[in-house]
């Protein structure tokens, strides 16, 4: 049990339990090593490669990049390659306002969408948590159910609703609220709607779980001590649901910032979001190094919220223990 | 002059026909759907009284408390506090405060913030709040814990924060829902006396809900024993124990031996009761029973004597066999199976280290008691 | 006071669910539209479903999607369960922090980044893109979801069950298969279902990691959607929604019945 395994560099010790046999220790180690190696190879190493390629030069070839260094050619070429490492692609990104604007607008769009999702999701989660205990599981299932239907389909459904001759405009025109069709499709408004709609379950679920497990006697205690219901909400309920608020916001913000399908289908060509820029850079322009650099910068932007999210997951796990 | 049980303090407004009750429940009924939690209940509680609602879970005692606090409205009937009908007044405008069973301490606030919470709601100036919080912390001996969060406190400390928070506003009435339920036995006993001292010191009216009869007996001036949404008896602890109003109350509070039988004949002070097996006992405290009535004679275990020979002077003596003996240190509990099959529990104080009349399992034994040692129950 | 609040609660739930479900309902309704104009009702018709089944491209894509879904969900369930065990049972080993990071990060990682990085990996190791790489990619992201689902069940798992089994003489491996696995099986099954759904649903990562001859249904739908909304796509979407909804409803009904049965048994047991 003391020698470190070569690949994952792990020493497996069960957190508690009886002394283990030799066979048992092999099984223990396999439990760790198999998923560990898989994630190392298919999750971590790919990021290293992305970073490496982002430092390479563009080439009109297949694959369309010139590797700055190639490990298979030995240590010498590695050193030579290291010398050729450059941040050319990053300079290119910094120099082109298109990318800069795309990053800014992605973050802003994601932030606004997150706030909107919170405003829409909180009353729903609150209502669910206050619903009779017998119907709560059903409500929970109804929130999760859309998540099981295709993301693409749910976004696609909004095209028919939002387009100028679409169902929303037909409805609004027929009841006489508007006289001219609203232009919603192919604007940022459509992206907000799309993101809020698609990611609403991610907002509602953590909010619900933090609100649901809250002891109702706390609210009663606040009222007993002289707090009217609205004040009690702001002084007790809301502060105590903050972990859920933060988790929900992160779960919406992080994927929304890199979203591709929603801006592509609902946002039209005039809206700018980095996920789509990356996709175009890769698929249309075939510029892999620049696409990689775009991805690295996006990751750097998202690293703080991602680490925050992981930290919260770990904390929740500790508490659940 | 003789008195029933012991007198806790000279405070008995309920015996004073001129005293005005402070809290009045008038024919209060509370239904949850088809379930009747409180059933046409009337009750009067006096100012400065330490009043306990005692009953098994589901008897409606907590519902009664929550109606007083304003979390539930009675389905019918009314509740008066100091002459004012409480109907329609939300909990945050009632001059009563509650100490919750779970304590309900706000986990995101420190001890002092928790205590100050109610004071802030009524808009007390900050300086005064600080003074009152300091005073409360001193009262519950938690001065050095002011800056801690609830999760950094022990169970007993949390309980005291909850207490401080609920009395900080100087409510007219303090409601306590199982205030000691979460504490271990030793701490519970200490805290019982602390609560009594606090009530004396602050001069508040306390209404406490509990399922622990010992707790109710220790602390309360009067106890209301509840069952199925109704009050079975309201009386001082001594009365509840020594003069229960019904078989239910006698069984619920403490241990009791019940002899079921018929009144054979009775005089001014005594009644002769014939059991099913023909055994006869002569008892006092028969109240207004008449000959021929089916009654129960209830007698507490400590009022029965167990001996190997029939005591010469005994008015009531029944023979049986020792079935079980439990030695508890301060006393010994005997289970004697009488010859008619009834099991009798008797406890004898171990006033000396050695005993004169050692009995053991399967020995023949006599139980004996005086005519006034028990009470005749008709209900 | 209470009634006002609960009225507010009911209103927000109703409006929220209307928002969640109305678009899907409209999509389904208009898949039965006679008219080719998707948003103008021209009478009831099932002709788009008929033409759908004659669309060989869509049918092929559907077959690829299902195969990738079945294989990747199964492998991901095994790997995810192992990862969940590692996270809950082994609290001290070198690289645990990295490991939990690698499990949780893919949950929120923008798909374009995951897709791009996997593609570059496959290119770097000279793996031809196609069905195989597609499956590998799907396993990678869905195993993390399985891990989270199974892990949350394991956290509430009563360890004394295992200790009891070992106390009665079962060795650890046997204990796992005879005690632990049956108890956490519902979580593993829902993990599998989640992995399968994620797989058949994925567009972005598939587009990066797939190659010629391995076009999935979402990729096919996406390429047609870009050309405009057609009733045929509505019909295809309706079928997908119908399949998923049926699966979820059946699963929840079975669960509910089992729960009801359990409650009934418990009551009988208490009475008896």
């Amino acid at each position: 049990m003391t020698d470190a395994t070569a690949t994952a560099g792990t020493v497996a010790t069960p957190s508690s339990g009886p002394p283990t046999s030799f066979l048992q220790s092999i099984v223990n180690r396999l439990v760790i090593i198999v998923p560990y190696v898989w994630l190392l190879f298919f999750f971590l190493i790919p990021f290293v490669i992305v970073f490496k390629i982002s430092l390479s030069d563009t080439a009109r070839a297949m694959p369309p990049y010139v590797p700055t260094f190639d490990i298979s050619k030995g240590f010498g070429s590695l050193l030579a390659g290291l010398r050729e490492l450059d941040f050319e692609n990053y300079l290119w990104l910094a120099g082109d306002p298109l990318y800069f604007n795309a990053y800014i607008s992605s973050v802003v769009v994601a932030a606004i969408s997150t706030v909107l999702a919170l405003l829409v999701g909180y009353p729903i989660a609150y209502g669910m948590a206050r619903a009779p205990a017998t119907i709560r599981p059903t409500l929970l299932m109804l929130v999760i159910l859309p998540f099981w239907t295709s993301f693409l389909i749910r976004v696609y459904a909004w095209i028919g609703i939002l387009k100028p001759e679409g169902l929303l405009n037909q409805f609004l025109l027929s009841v006489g609220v508007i006289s001219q069709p609203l232009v919603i499709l192919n604007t940022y408004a459509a992206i907000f709607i799309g993101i809020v709609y698609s990611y609403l379950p991610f907002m509602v679920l953590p909010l619900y779980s933090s609100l649901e497990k809250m002891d109702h006697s706390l609210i009663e205690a606040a009222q007993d001590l002289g707090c009217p219901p609205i004040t009690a909400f702001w002084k007790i309920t809301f502060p105590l649901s903050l972990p859920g608020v933060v988790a929900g916001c992160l779960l919406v913000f992080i994927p929304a910032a890199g979203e591709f399908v929603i801006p592509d289908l609902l946002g039209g060509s005039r809206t700018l979001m980095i996920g789509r820029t990356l996709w175009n850079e890769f698929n249309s322009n075939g510029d892999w190094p620049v696409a990689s650099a775009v991805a690295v910068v996006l990751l750097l932007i998202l690293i703080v919220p991602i680490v925050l999210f992981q930290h919260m997951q770990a904390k929740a796990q500790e508490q659940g223990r | 002059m003789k008195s029933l049980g012991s007198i806790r303090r000279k405070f008995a407004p309920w015996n004073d026909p001129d005293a005005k009750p402070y809290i009045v429940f008038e024919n209060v009924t509370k239904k949850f759907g088809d379930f009747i939690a409180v059933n046409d209940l009337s009750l009067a509680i006096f100012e400065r009284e330490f009043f306990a609602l005692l009953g098994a879970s589901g008897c409606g005692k907590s519902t009664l408390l929550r109606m007083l606090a304003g979390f539930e409205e009675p389905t019918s009937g009314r509740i008066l506090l100091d002459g004012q009908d409480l109907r329609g007044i939300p909990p945050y405008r009632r001059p009563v405060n509650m100490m919750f069973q779970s304590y309900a301490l706000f986990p995101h606030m420190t001890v002092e913030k928790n205590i100050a919470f109610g004071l802030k709601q009524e808009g007390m100036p900050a300086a005064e709040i600080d003074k009152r919080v300091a005073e409360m912390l001193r009262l519950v001996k938690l001065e050095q814990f002011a800056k801690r969060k609830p999760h950094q406190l022990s169970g007993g400390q949390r309980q005291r924060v909850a207490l401080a928070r609920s009395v900080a506003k100087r409510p007219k009435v303090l409601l306590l829902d199982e205030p000691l339920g979460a504490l271990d036995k030793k701490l519970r006993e200490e805290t019982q006396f602390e609560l009594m001292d606090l009530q004396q010191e602050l001069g508040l009216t306390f209404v406490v809900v509990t399922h622990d009869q010992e707790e109710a007996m220790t602390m309360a001036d009067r106890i209301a024993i509840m069952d199925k949404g109704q009050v079975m008896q309201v009386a001082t602890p001594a009365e509840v124990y020594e003069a229960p109003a019904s078989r239910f109350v006698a069984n619920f509070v403490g241990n009791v031996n019940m002899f079921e039988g018929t009144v054979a004949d009775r005089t001014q002070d005594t009644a002769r009761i014939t059991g099913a097996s023909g055994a006869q006992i002569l008892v006092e405290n028969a109240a207004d029973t008449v000959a021929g009535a089916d009654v129960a004679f209830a007698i507490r275990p400590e009022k029965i004597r167990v001996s190997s020979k029939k005591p010469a002077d005994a008015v009531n003596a029944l023979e049986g066999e020792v079935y079980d003996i439990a030695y508890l240190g301060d006393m010994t509990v005997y289970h004697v199976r009488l010859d008619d099959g009834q099991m009798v529990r008797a406890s004898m104080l171990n006033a000396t280290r050695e005993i004169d009349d050692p009995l053991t399992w399967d020995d023949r034994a006599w139980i004996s008691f005086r005519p006034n040692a028990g009470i005749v129950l008709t209900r | 006071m209470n009634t006002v609040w609960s009225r507010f609660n009911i209103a927000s739930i109703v409006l929220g669910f209307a928002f969640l479900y109305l678009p899907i309902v409209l999509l389904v309704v208009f898949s039965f539209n006679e008219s080719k104009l998707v948003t103008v009702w021209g009478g009831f018709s099932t002709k788009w479903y008929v033409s759908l089944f004659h669309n060989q491209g869509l049918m092929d894509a559907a077959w690829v999607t299902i195969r990738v879904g079945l294989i990747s969900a199964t492998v991901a369930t095994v790997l995810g369960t192992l990862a969940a065990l590692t996270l809950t049972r082994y609290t001290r080993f070198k690289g645990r922090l990295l490991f939990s990071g690698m499990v949780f990060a893919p949950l929120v990682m923008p798909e374009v980044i995951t897709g791009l990085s996997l593609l570059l990996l496959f290119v770097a190791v000279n793996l031809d893109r196609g069905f195989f790489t597609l499956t590998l990619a799907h396993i990678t992201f869905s195993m993390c979801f399985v891990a989270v689902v199974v892990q949350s069940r394991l956290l509430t798992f009563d360890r004394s069950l295992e200790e009891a089994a070992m106390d009665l003489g079962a060795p650890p491996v046997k204990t796992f298969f005879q005690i632990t696995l049956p108890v956490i099986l519902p979580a593993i099954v829902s993990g599998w279902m989640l992995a399968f759904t994620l797989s058949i649903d994925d567009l972005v990562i598939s587009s990066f990691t797939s190659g010629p001859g391995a076009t999935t249904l979402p990729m096919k739908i996406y390429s047609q959607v870009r050309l405009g909304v057609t009733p045929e796509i509505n019909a295809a979407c309706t079928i997908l929604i119908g399949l998923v909804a049926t699966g979820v409803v059946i699963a929840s009904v079975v669960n509910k019945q089992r729960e009801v049965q359990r409650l009934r048994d418990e009551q009988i047991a208490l009475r008896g």
Side-chain angles (χ1 to χ4, degrees), chain B residues 51-53 61-62 65 176-179 207-211 215:
Chain B
F51 194 89
L53 294 164
K61 57 190 192 305
S62 288
L65 201 69
L176 303 101
D177 190 0
E178 303 276 1
V207 181
V208 56
V209 154
T210 179
H211 69 273
E215 197 173 296

Side-chain angles (χ1 to χ4, degrees), chain A residues 29 64 81 92 101-102 112 151 165 168 174 178 221 238 248 282:
Chain A
R29 239 175 271 168
W92 162 264
N101 291 340
I112 293 175
F151 182 75
E165 68 281 14
L168 180 65
S174 71
I178 52 169
F238 188 73
F282 186 84

Side-chain angles (χ1 to χ4, degrees), chain C residues 183-209:
Chain C
V183 174
I184 64 169
L185 196 64
I188 295 180
V189 170
S190 51
W192 186 92
M193 283 170 63
L194 182 61
F196 182 72
T197 317
L198 287 169
S199 168
I200 62 172
D201 187 22
D202 178 73
L203 166 70
V204 175
I205 296 176
S206 302
S207 303
F208 275 104
T209 53

